Coordinates of all heavy atoms in Angstrom, one line a residue:
Chain F
F211 N 8.9 -2.3 -2.6 CA 8.1 -1.1 -2.7 C 9.0 0.0 -3.3 O 10.2 0.0 -3.0 CB 7.5 -0.7 -1.4 CG 6.9 -1.9 -0.6 CD1 7.5 -2.3 0.6 CD2 5.8 -2.5 -1.1 CE1 6.9 -3.3 1.3 CE2 5.3 -3.6 -0.4 CZ 5.8 -4.0 0.7
Y212 N 8.3 0.9 -4.1 CA 9.1 1.9 -4.8 C 8.3 3.2 -4.8 O 7.1 3.3 -4.7 CB 9.3 1.5 -6.3 CG 9.7 0.0 -6.4 CD1 8.8 -1.0 -6.5 CD2 11.1 -0.2 -6.5 CE1 9.3 -2.3 -6.6 CE2 11.5 -1.6 -6.7 CZ 10.6 -2.6 -6.7 OH 11.0 -3.9 -6.9
W213 N 9.1 4.3 -4.8 CA 8.6 5.6 -5.1 C 9.2 6.2 -6.4 O 10.5 6.1 -6.5 CB 8.7 6.6 -4.0 CG 7.7 6.4 -2.8 CD1 8.0 5.8 -1.7 CD2 6.4 6.8 -2.8 NE1 6.9 5.8 -0.9 CE2 5.9 6.4 -1.5 CE3 5.5 7.5 -3.7 CZ2 4.6 6.6 -1.2 CZ3 4.3 7.7 -3.3 CH2 3.7 7.3 -2.1
Y214 N 8.4 6.8 -7.2 CA 8.8 7.4 -8.4 C 8.2 8.9 -8.4 O 7.2 9.0 -7.8 CB 8.4 6.7 -9.7 CG 9.1 5.4 -10.0 CD1 8.7 4.2 -9.4 CD2 10.2 5.5 -10.9 CE1 9.4 3.0 -9.7 CE2 10.9 4.3 -11.2 CZ 10.5 3.1 -10.5 OH 11.1 1.9 -10.9
R215 N 8.8 9.7 -9.2 CA 8.1 11.0 -9.3 C 8.2 11.4 -10.9 O 9.0 10.9 -11.6 CB 8.7 12.1 -8.6 CG 10.0 12.8 -9.1 CD 10.4 14.0 -8.4 NE 11.6 14.5 -9.1 CZ 12.3 15.5 -8.6 NH1 12.1 16.0 -7.4 NH2 13.4 15.9 -9.2
Q216 N 7.2 12.1 -11.3 CA 7.1 12.6 -12.7 C 6.7 14.1 -12.7 O 5.5 14.4 -12.4 CB 6.1 11.8 -13.4 CG 6.1 12.1 -15.0 CD 5.1 11.2 -15.7 OE1 4.1 10.8 -15.2 NE2 5.5 10.9 -17.0
I217 N 7.7 14.9 -13.0 CA 7.4 16.3 -13.2 C 6.6 16.5 -14.5 O 6.9 15.7 -15.4 CB 8.7 17.1 -13.2 CG1 9.4 17.0 -11.8 CG2 8.4 18.6 -13.6 CD1 10.8 17.6 -11.8
L218 N 5.7 17.3 -14.5 CA 4.7 17.5 -15.6 C 5.5 17.5 -16.9 O 6.3 18.3 -17.1 CB 3.9 18.8 -15.4 CG 2.8 19.0 -16.4 CD1 1.8 17.8 -16.3 CD2 2.1 20.3 -16.2
G219 N 5.1 16.6 -17.8 CA 5.6 16.5 -19.2 C 7.0 15.9 -19.2 O 7.6 15.9 -20.3
Q220 N 7.5 15.4 -18.1 CA 8.8 14.9 -18.1 C 8.8 13.3 -17.8 O 7.8 12.8 -17.8 CB 9.8 15.6 -17.1 CG 9.9 17.1 -17.5 CD 10.9 17.8 -16.6 OE1 11.8 17.1 -16.0 NE2 10.8 19.1 -16.4
K221 N 10.0 12.8 -17.8 CA 10.1 11.3 -17.6 C 9.8 10.9 -16.2 O 9.7 11.7 -15.3 CB 11.5 10.9 -18.0 CG 12.6 11.4 -17.1 CD 13.9 11.0 -17.6 CE 14.3 9.6 -17.4 NZ 15.6 9.2 -17.9
V222 N 9.5 9.6 -16.0 CA 9.3 9.0 -14.7 C 10.6 8.8 -14.1 O 11.5 8.0 -14.6 CB 8.5 7.7 -14.9 CG1 8.3 7.1 -13.5 CG2 7.2 8.0 -15.5
E223 N 10.9 9.4 -12.9 CA 12.2 9.3 -12.3 C 12.1 8.4 -11.0 O 11.3 8.5 -10.1 CB 12.6 10.7 -11.8 CG 12.8 11.7 -13.0 CD 13.2 13.1 -12.5 OE1 12.2 13.7 -11.8 OE2 14.2 13.5 -12.7
F224 N 13.1 7.5 -10.9 CA 13.1 6.6 -9.8 C 13.7 7.4 -8.6 O 14.6 8.1 -8.7 CB 14.1 5.5 -10.1 CG 14.5 4.6 -8.9 CD1 13.6 3.6 -8.5 CD2 15.7 4.7 -8.3 CE1 13.9 2.8 -7.4 CE2 16.1 3.9 -7.3 CZ 15.2 2.9 -6.9
L225 N 13.0 7.2 -7.5 CA 13.4 7.8 -6.2 C 14.1 6.8 -5.3 O 15.2 7.0 -4.9 CB 12.3 8.4 -5.5 CG 11.6 9.7 -6.1 CD1 10.4 10.2 -5.3 CD2 12.6 10.8 -6.3
V226 N 13.3 5.7 -5.0 CA 13.8 4.8 -3.9 C 13.1 3.5 -4.0 O 12.0 3.4 -4.5 CB 13.6 5.5 -2.5 CG1 12.1 5.6 -2.3 CG2 14.2 4.7 -1.4
S227 N 13.8 2.4 -3.6 CA 13.2 1.1 -3.5 C 13.4 0.6 -2.0 O 14.4 1.0 -1.4 CB 13.8 0.1 -4.5 OG 15.2 -0.1 -4.3
F228 N 12.5 -0.2 -1.6 CA 12.4 -0.5 -0.1 C 12.0 -2.0 0.0 O 11.1 -2.5 -0.7 CB 11.3 0.3 0.4 CG 11.3 0.3 1.9 CD1 12.0 1.2 2.7 CD2 10.4 -0.5 2.6 CE1 11.9 1.3 4.0 CE2 10.3 -0.5 4.0 CZ 11.1 0.4 4.7
Y229 N 12.9 -2.7 0.8 CA 12.6 -4.1 1.0 C 13.0 -4.5 2.4 O 14.1 -4.0 2.9 CB 13.4 -4.9 0.0 CG 13.4 -6.4 0.3 CD1 12.3 -7.2 0.1 CD2 14.6 -7.1 0.7 CE1 12.2 -8.5 0.4 CE2 14.6 -8.4 1.0 CZ 13.4 -9.2 0.8 OH 13.4 -10.5 1.1
N230 N 12.2 -5.3 3.1 CA 12.6 -5.8 4.4 C 12.9 -4.7 5.4 O 13.8 -4.7 6.1 CB 13.8 -6.7 4.2 CG 13.9 -7.7 5.5 OD1 12.9 -8.0 6.1 ND2 15.1 -8.1 5.8
N231 N 12.1 -3.7 5.3 CA 12.1 -2.5 6.2 C 13.3 -1.6 6.0 O 13.7 -1.0 7.0 CB 11.9 -2.9 7.6 CG 10.4 -3.3 8.0 OD1 9.5 -2.6 7.5 ND2 10.3 -4.3 8.7
E232 N 13.9 -1.7 4.9 CA 15.0 -0.8 4.7 C 15.2 -0.4 3.2 O 14.7 -1.2 2.4 CB 16.3 -1.4 5.2 CG 16.8 -2.6 4.6 CD 18.1 -3.2 5.3 OE1 18.3 -2.9 6.4 OE2 18.8 -3.8 4.5
I233 N 15.8 0.7 3.0 CA 16.0 1.2 1.7 C 17.1 0.3 1.0 O 18.1 -0.1 1.5 CB 16.6 2.6 1.6 CG1 15.4 3.6 2.1 CG2 17.1 3.0 0.3 CD1 15.9 5.0 2.3
S234 N 16.7 -0.3 -0.2 CA 17.6 -1.1 -0.9 C 18.4 -0.4 -2.0 O 19.5 -0.7 -2.4 CB 16.9 -2.4 -1.5 OG 15.7 -1.9 -2.2
E235 N 17.8 0.7 -2.6 CA 18.4 1.5 -3.6 C 17.7 2.9 -3.6 O 16.5 3.0 -3.4 CB 18.2 0.8 -5.0 CG 19.1 1.2 -6.1 CD 19.0 0.4 -7.3 OE1 18.4 -0.7 -7.2 OE2 19.4 0.8 -8.3
K236 N 18.5 3.8 -3.9 CA 18.0 5.2 -4.0 C 18.7 6.0 -5.1 O 19.9 5.7 -5.4 CB 18.0 5.9 -2.7 CG 19.4 6.2 -2.1 CD 19.3 6.9 -0.8 CE 20.7 7.2 -0.2 NZ 20.6 7.9 1.1
S237 N 18.0 6.9 -5.6 CA 18.7 7.8 -6.7 C 19.2 9.0 -6.0 O 19.1 9.3 -4.8 CB 17.6 8.2 -7.7 OG 16.7 9.1 -7.2
E238 N 19.9 9.8 -6.9 CA 20.5 11.1 -6.4 C 19.4 12.1 -6.0 O 19.7 13.0 -5.2 CB 21.3 11.7 -7.6 CG 22.5 10.9 -8.0 CD 23.3 11.4 -9.2 OE1 22.7 12.3 -9.8 OE2 24.4 11.0 -9.5
I239 N 18.2 11.9 -6.6 CA 17.1 12.8 -6.2 C 16.7 12.6 -4.8 O 16.4 13.6 -4.1 CB 15.9 12.6 -7.1 CG1 16.3 12.7 -8.6 CG2 14.8 13.5 -6.8 CD1 15.2 12.2 -9.5
F240 N 16.8 11.4 -4.3 CA 16.4 11.0 -2.9 C 17.4 11.5 -1.9 O 18.3 10.7 -1.4 CB 16.2 9.5 -2.9 CG 15.4 9.2 -1.7 CD1 14.0 9.1 -1.7 CD2 16.0 8.7 -0.5 CE1 13.3 8.7 -0.6 CE2 15.3 8.3 0.6 CZ 13.9 8.3 0.6
D241 N 17.4 12.8 -1.7 CA 18.4 13.3 -0.7 C 17.8 13.4 0.8 O 16.7 12.8 1.0 CB 18.9 14.7 -1.2 CG 17.7 15.7 -1.3 OD1 16.6 15.5 -0.7 OD2 17.9 16.7 -2.0
D242 N 18.4 14.1 1.6 CA 18.0 14.1 3.0 C 16.6 14.7 3.3 O 16.0 14.6 4.4 CB 19.1 14.9 3.9 CG 20.4 14.2 3.9 OD1 20.4 13.0 3.6 OD2 21.4 14.8 4.3
Q243 N 16.1 15.4 2.3 CA 14.8 16.0 2.4 C 13.7 14.9 2.4 O 12.6 15.1 2.8 CB 14.6 16.9 1.2 CG 13.3 17.6 1.0 CD 13.1 18.2 -0.3 OE1 13.9 17.9 -1.3 NE2 12.1 19.0 -0.5
F244 N 14.1 13.7 1.8 CA 13.1 12.6 1.6 C 13.4 11.6 2.6 O 14.5 11.2 3.1 CB 13.2 12.1 0.2 CG 12.8 13.0 -0.9 CD1 13.8 13.8 -1.5 CD2 11.5 13.0 -1.3 CE1 13.5 14.6 -2.6 CE2 11.2 13.9 -2.4 CZ 12.1 14.7 -3.0
S245 N 12.3 10.9 3.0 CA 12.4 9.7 3.8 C 11.2 8.8 3.5 O 10.2 9.2 3.0 CB 12.5 9.9 5.3 OG 11.3 10.6 5.7
V246 N 11.4 7.4 3.7 CA 10.4 6.5 3.5 C 10.2 5.7 4.7 O 11.2 5.4 5.5 CB 10.6 5.6 2.2 CG1 10.4 6.4 0.9 CG2 11.9 4.9 2.3
E247 N 9.0 5.1 4.9 CA 8.7 4.4 6.1 C 7.6 3.4 5.8 O 6.7 3.7 5.0 CB 8.3 5.3 7.2 CG 8.2 4.7 8.6 CD 7.9 5.7 9.6 OE1 7.1 6.7 9.4 OE2 8.3 5.6 10.8
R248 N 7.7 2.3 6.5 CA 6.6 1.3 6.4 C 6.1 1.2 7.9 O 6.5 0.3 8.6 CB 7.0 0.0 5.9 CG 5.9 -1.0 5.6 CD 6.3 -2.0 4.6 NE 5.4 -3.2 4.5 CZ 4.3 -3.2 3.9 NH1 3.8 -2.2 3.3 NH2 3.6 -4.4 3.9
P249 N 5.2 2.1 8.3 CA 4.8 2.2 9.7 C 4.1 1.0 10.2 O 4.1 0.8 11.4 CB 4.1 3.5 9.8 CG 3.5 3.7 8.4 CD 4.5 3.1 7.5
D250 N 3.4 0.3 9.4 CA 2.6 -0.8 9.8 C 2.7 -1.9 8.7 O 3.4 -1.7 7.7 CB 1.2 -0.4 10.1 CG 0.5 0.3 9.0 OD1 0.7 -0.1 7.8 OD2 -0.1 1.3 9.3

Side-chain angles (χ1 to χ4, degrees):
Chain F
F211 315 115
Y212 313 86
W213 282 102
Y214 287 83
R215 81 171 184 192
Q216 186 177 34
I217 296 170
L218 186 62
Q220 298 188 24
K221 64 186 291 185
V222 177
E223 298 175 295
F224 171 75
L225 293 178
V226 66
S227 60
F228 191 86
Y229 170 71
N230 200 26
N231 283 321
E232 61 183 29
I233 291 172
S234 48
E235 198 172 342
K236 63 180 181 179
S237 71
E238 293 175 351
I239 303 169
F240 194 87
D241 59 21
D242 292 344
Q243 178 195 11
F244 294 92
S245 62
V246 289
E247 193 178 31
R248 189 155 163 83
D250 53 44

